[in-house]
Amino acid sequence: MRLVEETLAAIAPADAAAMGEAAALHERLTKPRRSLGALEDLGARLSGIAGRVPPPIPEPVEVAVFAADHGVVAHGVTPWPQEVTAQMVANFLAGGAAINALARQVGAAVTVVDVGVASSLPPAPGLLVRKVRPGTGDLASGPAMRPDEALASVAVGIDVARSLIRAGAGLLVTGDMGIGNTTAAAAVIAAITGASARDVTGRGTGIDDASLARKQSIVAGAAARLSSEPAPLDALAEVGGLEVGALAGFVLAAGAARVPVVVDGVIALAGALIAHGLAPPVVDHMVAGHRSVEPGASVVLAHLGLEPLLDLRLRLGEGTGACLAVPLVQAAARVLGEMATFDAAGVTDKEHRA
Amino acid sequence: MRLVEETLAAIAPADAAAMGEAAALHERLTKPRRSLGALEDLGARLSGIAGRVPPPIPEPVEVAVFAADHGVVAHGVTPWPQEVTAQMVANFLAGGAAINALARQVGAAVTVVDVGVASSLPPAPGLLVRKVRPGTGDLASGPAMRPDEALASVAVGIDVARSLIRAGAGLLVTGDMGIGNTTAAAAVIAAITGASARDVTGRGTGIDDASLARKQSIVAGAAARLSSEPAPLDALAEVGGLEVGALAGFVLAAGAARVPVVVDGVIALAGALIAHGLAPPVVDHMVAGHRSVEPGASVVLAHLGLEPLLDLRLRLGEGTGACLAVPLVQAAARVLGEMATFDAAGVTDKEHRA
């Protein structure tokens, strides 16, 4: 598909010269060297993404919540009934979910994208209907979707990100909703990283030991159908989810446009993993918002070399962990753009004393 | 002093009934149980402070940066010359320091309080001159200040917090500036917690191994002049700092008024430790913003039973770590105030299925 090819071709690494310039500026600002820790690394990263120092403050902020259903729920991998996906979409649109409260806190807008909800959703402001198919097939017994559907889900994410960026977004935030989606995410992560099902499969929104064992067994069996280093889109089609594909596309389009994107928990990270497989330098344009309790999240973070900004024991998804990190991302840019240098402020610099 | 006594008498624990009510509300909100992790605990804490559910969103936000000098700098415990304290005060007032950039990010105002800067500062908007004395004495060789001066420094902090609260502050943030103040903070922490100088003394704004050894030796010697469980104000007078005393008062007044206060790094935590010694329930009204790299900070956090929201390897002070945590505190209140319940949103609750 041309949209996907174009996007992949446009992805380049962060600008190393700008990153070096940001690090040099940090040395001259009125604070002890390196005393802002991770915020300094993040400021340099934002400079590398923007290709200039100081980088712009990343705003306005747009959260996209990609919603889809999963055939694997037939196996009891979650105690929540499938209709909750559509019910939660309605809750997002009414402004009553956690992501809505947190988005209001950080001044972000929320767009909900139906990329594969099982039922038909009534049109509503804030809802984009881009349904590739009404939920995946059962990944425990066969491919979750056809290869062309996998590609189409990626294209949906690219298209949504492009629209938001065209409308002025300076920072993108990944969100997800889909009953059963931690099973699909775990299977994608196991297939691509080679980690064991045991190491990537968690309790999702809350399951008992017996359900966890069943879920691990499904993840192991699904991942085993793929070759040892599968093509990212093959893994997506065989064991993934439609929102996972859309999130991959969303992250890819952010990278292509050099707009920073804050990735959330295990679902977004499964998407980020696919994006990285398709275009490795895209990882330079990602910021990890929060370390999800789901074990697969930490496996992907290590695989991609990302250190999350927050670790608050969240396991909700929707983009909540990423959204909470937004002020930190903006603060990192502000430090470079607004702090005075030793010279300008007339503050004695210990490094330059005789 | 009457102001201090009144304040101590007004401090009560968080409201356990409101905390329980908040926990019960969290169970009914449209998210899996406990899926917002630390944010749920924080929301319950804010409910307990306010005595109602949902708690108000803690705003407006006021940062107070208490500045003072330290006689101990004569011993080379820091490479920064003492005049940097006053230079940085000027930088705060001009808006060019890290705390200014971060306060702008979170919509907070900054007040700078001269509680003991060595030099005379010209009057300026945003500067409160409440100088108890022009810097402490040398804590390595004798008391840092007289007992009445220690009490006066606490009273300054109380008075500043009261004024800000009277003017409408819904959230207070502790800040500090003072060349040499990590030495005083370490000595206070060693004296009160009984931890060894080695375990509480860090590199502050950046010192070499030889300077660190000298600093540890000074901290050990100073703390050893006090009895094994010293009265908090005795520890403050003997080995503390004027901004440490003011921060203790600031935290106490927040607790007395049941206004949450976000505490920053090792200097603020030394003040919080004194406040806790004077009125243990004050700890219920504190939120730990960030885990400073300074080892003494973690010693106090453990002593007070506080888990910080952020761990970004900051070691700057000024209130920077606490300020970055402000949106998280506000988000925790928003979750309780703005999220829909399962019933109200028409979302199926797995816990109530047949």
Side-chain angles (χ1 to χ4, degrees), chain A residues 259-285:
Chain A
V259 169
V261 55
V262 190
V263 294
D264 193 50
V266 72
I267 315 303
L269 286 165
L273 187 62
I274 290 168
H276 170 260
L278 293 169
V282 74
V283 76
D284 285 2
H285 305 274

Side-chain angles (χ1 to χ4, degrees), chain A residues 30-39 41 57 78-81 83-84 87-88 90-91 95-98 100-102 104-106 205-206 307-316 318 320 324-328 330-332 334-335 338-342 345-351 353, chain B residues 30-39 41 57 78-81 83-84 87-88 90-91 95-98 100-102 104-106 205-206 307-316 318 320 324-328 330-332 334-335 338-342 345-351 353:
Chain A
T30 45
K31 57 177 178 53
R33 265 73 184 169
R34 300 289 309 148
S35 59
L36 284 173
L39 223 53
D41 301 332
I57 294 176
T78 165
W80 299 87
E83 71 246 31
V84 169
Q87 290 169 347
M88 282 301 297
N91 197 21
N100 302 108
L102 302 188
R104 282 190 290 268
Q105 177 61 44
V106 305
T205 49
E307 185 64 35
L309 293 168
L310 296 170
D311 187 354
L312 296 168
R313 308 191 306 276
L314 270 58
R315 52 178 180 81
L316 176 54
E318 301 180 5
T320 50
L324 286 171
V326 163
L328 301 175
Q330 295 176 329
R334 249 182 219 276
V335 162
E338 299 184 4
M339 274 186 72
T341 59
F342 284 105
V347 175
T348 307
D349 180 0
K350 79 171 171 83
E351 305 291 329
R353 293 174 77 202
Chain B
T30 45
K31 57 177 178 54
R33 265 74 185 169
R34 301 289 311 150
S35 60
L36 284 174
L39 223 53
D41 302 331
I57 295 176
T78 165
W80 299 86
E83 71 246 31
V84 168
Q87 290 169 347
M88 283 300 297
N91 196 21
N100 302 107
L102 302 188
R104 281 189 290 268
Q105 177 60 44
V106 304
T205 48
E307 186 64 36
L309 294 167
L310 297 170
D311 188 354
L312 296 168
R313 308 191 307 276
L314 270 57
R315 53 179 179 82
L316 176 54
E318 299 181 6
T320 50
L324 286 170
V326 163
L328 302 174
Q330 295 176 329
R334 250 181 218 275
V335 162
E338 299 183 4
M339 274 186 71
T341 60
F342 284 105
V347 175
T348 307
D349 181 0
K350 79 173 172 81
E351 305 291 328
R353 295 175 75 201

Side-chain angles (χ1 to χ4, degrees), chain B residues 15-59:
Chain B
D15 180 334
M19 292 182 73
E21 201 186 315
L25 176 56
H26 272 132
E27 298 284 293
R28 295 187 290 121
L29 299 177
T30 45
K31 57 177 178 54
R33 265 74 185 169
R34 301 289 311 150
S35 60
L36 284 174
L39 223 53
E40 298 196 18
D41 302 331
L42 183 54
R45 169 78 73 105
L46 294 171
S47 301
I49 295 171
R52 62 188 171 95
V53 181
I57 295 176
E59 60 190 2

